[in-house]
Amino acid sequence: MSATATLRKERPVEGLGFHKKPSKAKSTERAVFWLFRLGTYFILLCASVIFLTIIFKGSQTVFQSSFPFVNVEFLTEAPQTLHVFEYEGEKYELSDNNFRAFEAERGVEIKTDTYAYSGGGIWPCIVGTVLLVVGAMTIALTLGVLSAIFLSEYSKPGKILNAIRLSILNLAGVPSVVFGIFGLGFFVLAGPIFSFSPFEGYDFQFWPLPIYFGFAGWNVSLLAGCFTLAFMVLPIVISASEESLRAIPQGLREASLALGASKWTAIRTNVLPYAMPGILTSSIIGVARVAGETAPIMFTAAYAMRDQLPWEGLEKWSDFFFQGVMALPYHIYVVSAKIPQNEYTERMQYGTAFVFLVIVAGIALASILLRIRMRKKYRW
Amino acid sequence: MANDKPEPKRPLIRVSDFDFYYGEKQALFDINMDMKENEVTAFIGPSGCGKSTLLRCINRMNDLVEVARIGRGKIEVNGADIYDPRVDTIELRKRVGMVFQKSNPFPKSIYENVIYGLRIQGINKKPVLDEAVERCLKGAALWDEVKDRLDTSGLSLSGGQQQRLCIARALAVEPDILLMDEPCSALDPVATAKVEELIHSLKNDYTIVIVTHNMQQAARVSDKTAFFYLGKLIEMAKTDEIFMSPKNEQTEAYISGRFG
């Protein structure tokens, strides 16, 4: 009793001391809280600066103030040399094609300042990136879902399974440039080739069939790039697929089996369809990585410059897969690091980055929409 | 239990000297029992006594458990050893249907749920399927409640309806034997009564083995009752006898509610 009385005496009467100077604990609390808050704000700030810079600078290249408001040339043409010149008192900035037309129209020859890659557009890069993403994701999803089904539905726990899981885990930690080197050695230089006619480097004929086989390599090609990128995202796809498969209630499998389904029928009819939305969702991350990585395609698929679009000038259908392509991330690298820098190249860099962001966001959006549709169809 | 068919009936399921293990742990000890055609056999006993394990052995659902293995003895269905390596489990499970403790309709329409077993056999003719849906839903006493909404999801039904849908789904495959693993444990009394009624009417066409925790239920629906304790079959007899005059002390103790 007496102790309480003493304590009371020491306390200020007014407001029982609640409003007095903050205690030490209180101020520490406040400081820590602000530290966390500032950390979060800082990330927000960085993200905004990055996005706003790209959107602000990029939209100046992609959009224009006059009709049709979109820079059509930038989205539909290949990169060209930019000609900057003065003619009859006016300043012109024309890409190579337009400049030649300009000259031909007036029947004159004009001396100009030229800037490599700073005119025209990025259409072949858009095409190349889309092809690489579609190809790589097709391969990765096929291989990934197959192996995930094996791992989670068929395999028995043991040393072999642990070894497989460990190697998948390790694969996820490999730097992307190492995948590039792997693709160069494995696909570009030594990819297996089947052919109806003998070719240099063939080793083997499927006698009596006129089919020849050898490790002659795929050269720098769409196929090599797709496989390299696919191997890079395989760990993501596999672990995502496994998780989605595991999330399907065991009851569905048992019920199918009890009705006379084989294991595969049960998986095909009552596991995979319901796991698919989850698999697609998590492979969105894979799409962004496939579209964004430069290192794996540097040695395997990307050309700095190619005049023809992938479907032009094909001798036979298989050539489609064995040609190099331009790609957005590699193009950004080329215009940012491989050519002399000036105000005109900067426009290309930010314009390309902007279109790149929009495409990745678009692919992600498409996957999300697909997932929502699938979820609606298969709800449990 | 009134039954028109003449005795004695031949055993459709015969379990002889059956030992079963989960890994190193023995779950069933030397089980010997016969289950006759068109009879309802109830398995009772406290949790973990092995009654569900034995049930899941009869259609080899335990194959899904990685560490599960049989030690000794065999189970015969219709005279054939079902653990013979030549046995096709798919065919076996078509003959021996199963209804699970937790109703597990597929996230498909009621219609597709019922005909799942037919679809996977490649039967796709609409008249055949329509007929099967009506017959099986009537067989499961569900037809009147759902006939106007066959294309709604099986998951939109109530718990009791879902369980009857699962029974209808099992009937569509035209099994000889229906295994029921505590089919009413998640149902309210009204739904339970409906399922029990259904079991009564199914008895004429199917041989039913039902695992239940509920002794009143065993008394109500079954012809024979088997009492399990700690992996052993303690006593099996006509249901009346088991409940009126059990021969074994443990059986009596369990039935009178002194343990379990």
Side-chain angles (χ1 to χ4, degrees):
Chain A
M1 272 318 267
S2 65
T4 324
T6 339
L7 278 175
R8 279 235 168 122
K9 226 181 233 171
E10 283 169 11
R11 279 183 181 159
V13 182
E14 196 186 328
L16 293 173
F18 290 161
H19 303 290
K20 270 292 179 183
K21 206 173 79 189
S23 66
K24 200 177 164 222
K26 183 91 183 167
S27 35
T28 316
E29 170 96 353
R30 194 167 285 176
V32 168
F33 169 71
W34 269 100
L35 193 68
F36 291 144
R37 171 172 278 194
L38 285 177
T40 315
Y41 285 176
F42 182 68
I43 296 168
L44 197 66
L45 183 75
C46 292
S48 323
V49 167
I50 294 170
F51 278 109
L52 288 177
T53 311
I54 290 174
I55 290 170
F56 178 70
K57 292 196 175 174
S59 56
Q60 290 175 345
T61 313
V62 178
F63 300 108
Q64 61 193 34
S65 54
S66 57
F67 186 81
F69 303 111
V70 178
N71 186 345
V72 178
E73 188 189 24
F74 184 70
L75 295 177
T76 58
E77 293 284 327
Q80 294 166 20
T81 302
L82 186 73
H83 296 264
V84 179
F85 59 93
E86 271 188 38
Y87 182 75
E88 291 177 350
E90 271 194 75
K91 196 180 176 205
Y92 289 90
E93 293 169 10
L94 291 181
S95 61
D96 203 38
N97 287 353
N98 295 349
F99 173 68
R100 284 180 203 289
F102 187 88
E103 275 188 328
E105 206 177 294
R106 288 164 182 76
V108 289
E109 255 186 54
I110 307 163
K111 212 168 149 30
T112 64
D113 296 331
T114 57
Y115 299 97
Y117 294 126
S118 298
I122 52 167
W123 175 235
C125 311
I126 298 174
V127 169
T129 289
V130 169
L131 287 176
L132 282 170
V133 167
V134 170
M137 286 317 287
T138 310
I139 297 166
L141 277 174
T142 312
L143 286 177
V145 172
L146 286 179
S147 52
I149 290 175
F150 171 74
L151 290 174
S152 75
E153 307 283 336
Y154 284 97
S155 66
K156 298 238 171 359
K159 276 187 186 152
I160 299 173
L161 190 65
N162 289 343
I164 294 174
R165 284 194 196 287
L166 194 67
S167 55
I168 291 171
L169 215 65
N170 281 330
L171 206 59
V174 173
S176 59
V177 70
V178 176
F179 279 103
I181 293 288
F182 163 78
L184 175 69
F186 212 75
F187 301 125
V188 176
L189 301 176
I193 295 276
F194 293 90
S195 171
F196 285 117
S197 52
F199 54 93
E200 204 184 326
Y202 78 93
D203 306 297
F204 186 72
Q205 180 185 5
F206 288 98
W207 194 87
L209 299 172
I211 296 174
Y212 299 87
F213 173 79
F215 293 99
W218 297 343
N219 296 324
V220 172
S221 62
L222 195 55
L223 196 64
C226 288
F227 268 95
T228 311
L229 288 170
F231 278 38
M232 186 187 70
V233 288
L234 256 184
I236 298 177
V237 175
I238 291 177
S239 51
S241 310
E242 265 200 274
E243 236 157 73
S244 309
L245 289 170
R246 263 199 297 272
I248 305 301
Q250 188 66 16
L252 290 182
R253 295 181 182 86
E254 287 190 344
S256 315
L257 292 175
L259 290 168
S262 66
K263 203 160 178 178
W264 165 234
T265 309
I267 292 169
R268 183 171 50 83
T269 55
N270 272 322
V271 178
L272 259 191
Y274 310 125
M276 227 40 210
I279 295 174
L280 284 181
T281 313
S282 3
S283 58
I284 292 173
I285 309 165
V287 169
R289 260 203 95 183
V290 164
E293 283 287 353
T294 317
I297 56 170
M298 236 155 85
F299 321 121
T300 57
Y303 283 166
M305 184 58 208
R306 187 159 184 258
D307 287 328
Q308 285 174 319
L309 286 165
W311 49 82
E312 286 171 355
L314 297 178
E315 277 172 34
K316 49 184 193 291
W317 64 268
S318 63
D319 284 352
F320 183 80
F321 300 100
F322 291 104
Q323 59 180 340
V325 290
M326 297 184 71
L328 286 167
Y330 190 64
H331 188 65
I332 295 175
Y333 165 67
V334 169
V335 294
S336 309
K338 300 276 265 195
I339 56 172
Q341 297 298 296
N342 52 57
E343 51 180 313
Y344 302 107
T345 50
E346 199 196 65
R347 289 202 312 219
M348 283 316 259
Q349 290 159 18
Y350 282 99
T352 313
F354 179 73
V355 171
F356 190 25
L357 274 184
V358 170
I359 287 178
V360 171
I363 295 172
L365 190 71
S367 316
I368 292 170
L369 290 178
L370 185 65
R371 183 186 84 207
I372 292 172
R373 260 192 61 182
M374 283 184 141
R375 283 244 170 104
K376 270 195 190 137
K377 200 168 154 200
Y378 300 113
R379 200 191 287 268
W380 78 88
Chain B
M1 296 279 142
N3 203 318
D4 307 334
K5 301 205 172 172
E7 297 272 347
K9 290 175 251 173
R10 68 194 170 89
L12 190 59
I13 308 170
R14 163 165 278 173
V15 184
S16 28
D17 311 327
F18 193 69
D19 286 352
F20 189 82
Y21 297 83
Y22 289 119
E24 290 306 305
K25 190 179 165 287
Q26 187 163 6
L28 293 174
F29 297 83
D30 197 28
I31 308 288
N32 281 289
M33 63 198 299
D34 285 348
M35 283 155 266
K36 297 209 173 87
E37 238 179 322
N38 300 95
E39 272 188 357
V40 177
T41 308
F43 290 180
I44 59 170
S47 300
C49 68
K51 54 193 191 307
S52 283
T53 300
L54 180 61
L55 191 80
R56 291 167 65 93
C57 282
I58 299 174
N59 68 347
R60 289 187 57 173
M61 264 338 244
N62 274 334
D63 289 13
L64 299 186
V65 183
E66 259 139 32
V67 293
R69 64 190 171 87
I70 57 169
R72 200 168 61 88
K74 57 184 177 181
I75 297 179
E76 287 164 297
V77 171
N78 223 350
D81 180 2
I82 61 164
Y83 279 93
D84 189 296
R86 287 168 299 178
V87 162
D88 180 358
T89 50
I90 294 170
E91 285 305 316
L92 173 72
R93 288 177 191 145
K94 279 186 207 160
R95 305 284 303 279
V96 186
M98 188 163 205
V99 177
F100 296 85
Q101 178 174 6
K102 196 167 164 283
S103 62
N104 50 5
F106 302 128
K108 305 177 198 288
S109 68
I110 295 172
Y111 187 94
E112 286 296 327
N113 258 287
V114 176
I115 59 167
Y116 177 81
L118 303 177
R119 275 235 197 274
I120 59 174
Q121 292 176 32
I123 299 169
N124 277 315
K125 289 203 187 91
K126 187 95 170 82
V128 179
L129 298 179
D130 286 346
E131 184 275 326
V133 168
E134 184 169 348
R135 175 172 48 79
C136 298
L137 285 174
K138 277 181 177 161
L142 190 60
W143 174 251
D144 292 330
E145 290 160 60
V146 302
K147 64 183 175 203
D148 301 321
R149 48 175 177 139
L150 291 176
D151 52 352
T152 56
S153 169
L155 295 171
S156 65
L157 300 174
S158 71
Q161 289 174 324
Q162 285 192 10
Q163 195 59 294
R164 278 180 284 150
L165 177 61
C166 292
I167 294 173
R169 184 173 71 179
L171 298 183
V173 192
E174 302 189 11
D176 304 325
I177 300 165
L178 262 186
L179 307 177
M180 299 185 168
D181 192 356
E182 299 183 37
C184 303
S185 66
L187 302 185
D188 63 56
V190 178
T192 301
K194 286 209 163 171
V195 173
E196 284 180 10
E197 234 172 77
L198 175 59
I199 293 171
H200 261 296
S201 65
L202 289 175
K203 197 168 81 170
N204 297 324
D205 299 312
Y206 304 92
T207 305
I208 295 172
V209 184
I210 178 170
V211 166
T212 177
H213 259 118
N214 179 331
M215 275 175 284
Q216 283 74 34
Q217 183 171 63
R220 282 192 298 263
V221 301
S222 67
D223 302 307
K224 296 267 179 66
T225 297
F227 171 63
F228 288 83
Y229 185 58
L230 298 178
K232 296 190 178 81
L233 174 61
I234 305 296
E235 188 172 355
M236 179 173 178
K238 287 203 170 118
T239 301
D240 301 349
E241 286 173 26
I242 284 262
F243 282 95
M244 301 299 186
S245 51
K247 294 195 176 59
N248 188 292
E249 266 175 53
Q250 283 172 322
T251 315
E252 208 223 324
Y254 181 71
I255 284 167
S256 55
R258 264 181 277 146
F259 80 97

